[in-house]
Amino acid sequence: MASAITPSPLASDPRQQTAEALAEYLAAALTTDLAADPAARALLVVSGGSTPKPLFAALCDKPLDWSRVDITLADERWVSEDASDSNARFVREHLLTGAASAATFYPLTNGEAEPEAGCAGVSARIAALSWPASALILGMGGDGHTASLFPDGDRLEEALESQECCVPMRAPSVSQPRITLSLARLRQTRRTVLHLTGADKQDVLSRALGNIEAVSELPIRAFLSAPLALYWAP
């Protein structure tokens, strides 16, 4: 991994401190990429879940040209965008506010009933964005999954090996069908960030760094051989 950012043990709210440090990093990255080509757009790929909430709050009012920023997700539950557990809804409510409301958001769902039917249309939409992304923000589950690359996923091997942009995913460990960016697409980024909280996630990451288990058993391992910035808080 390229670097590990951990908060001071004396911080009153280490998770907030870590979120604010990551927001500064991402704002600087987007600003740098936008300045490199005044005619270009920048792409930010984010994850859902509870961990990014303070990050989004810290990032949304950063002073940069949000009108030239596109935002999409690393993965999504195949639910309506107004569902309570929709990652798209989470992004709209917590990131696309304030200054960041000028950004353009590209969801990972469409009107099809199942991800297998909707995947091709979503893939075409996402593949047309400004790759490589300026930054990819990943989370990680207690089973070592990241995005929707689940160890028990029915199309995990396809997602790890396919050159397609998106792959539908179902797994016994989760209640809803999913869609995920493929590993090949997730790797098309200038900067990869792993944002974690809690000692349990630190333990899982330590296992992954031990190089004992296969990528299919701990999918986060697929990202540990390339430059990766770790932002972790207790």
Side-chain angles (χ1 to χ4, degrees), residues 127-140:
L129 298 177
S130 303
W131 301 93
S134 289
L136 162 68
I137 311 164
L138 292 172
M140 185 187 70

Side-chain angles (χ1 to χ4, degrees), residues 82-119:
D82 60 356
S84 61
D85 52 357
S86 163
N87 287 340
R89 176 175 174 173
F90 182 78
V91 168
R92 292 186 190 281
E93 291 181 349
H94 298 288
L95 178 56
L96 299 178
T97 63
S101 63
T104 302
F105 177 61
Y106 292 85
L108 293 188
T109 56
N110 56 27
E112 297 290 347
E114 306 291 344
E116 291 81 4
C119 188

Side-chain angles (χ1 to χ4, degrees), residues 3 21 29 53 62 71 86 103 118 134 146 202 207 224:
S3 60
K53 187 174 180 179
K62 293 297 182 188
I71 299 173
S86 163
S134 289
T146 190
Q202 188 179 41
R207 280 175 51 206
L224 301 184

Side-chain angles (χ1 to χ4, degrees), residues 2-3 22 24-36 42-46 131-138 185-194 223 226-231:
S3 60
L22 179 50
E24 291 286 349
Y25 171 81
L26 294 171
L30 290 166
T31 299
T32 295
D33 291 349
L34 290 170
L43 174 61
L44 177 64
V45 183
V46 302
W131 301 93
S134 289
L136 162 68
I137 311 164
L138 292 172
R185 184 60 57 166
L186 290 166
R187 284 177 169 169
Q188 290 186 28
T189 181
R190 296 185 176 95
R191 306 163 187 89
T192 302
V193 175
L194 183 58
F223 297 91
L228 177 71
L230 172 63
Y231 281 73

Side-chain angles (χ1 to χ4, degrees), residues 83-217:
S84 61
D85 52 357
S86 163
N87 287 340
R89 176 175 174 173
F90 182 78
V91 168
R92 292 186 190 281
E93 291 181 349
H94 298 288
L95 178 56
L96 299 178
T97 63
S101 63
T104 302
F105 177 61
Y106 292 85
L108 293 188
T109 56
N110 56 27
E112 297 290 347
E114 306 291 344
E116 291 81 4
C119 188
V122 173
S123 288
R125 176 200 305 156
I126 302 304
L129 298 177
S130 303
W131 301 93
S134 289
L136 162 68
I137 311 164
L138 292 172
M140 185 187 70
D143 60 356
H145 86 265
T146 190
S148 281
L149 305 177
F150 292 98
D152 60 345
D154 63 343
R155 298 198 185 196
L156 177 60
E157 183 176 357
E158 179 183 348
L160 293 175
E161 298 181 0
S162 175
Q163 295 304 305
E164 295 297 325
C165 186
C166 299
V167 177
M169 190 71 66
R170 296 173 187 264
S173 59
V174 292
S175 59
Q176 296 140 316
R178 308 276 184 120
I179 185 170
T180 185
L181 299 191
S182 66
L183 175 61
R185 184 60 57 166
L186 290 166
R187 284 177 169 169
Q188 290 186 28
T189 181
R190 296 185 176 95
R191 306 163 187 89
T192 302
V193 175
L194 183 58
H195 184 198
L196 304 177
T197 58
D200 56 334
K201 299 293 182 67
Q202 188 179 41
D203 291 342
V204 174
L205 184 59
S206 295
R207 280 175 51 206
L209 289 167
N211 295 322
I212 297 174
E213 292 164 275
V215 170
S216 60
E217 297 171 322

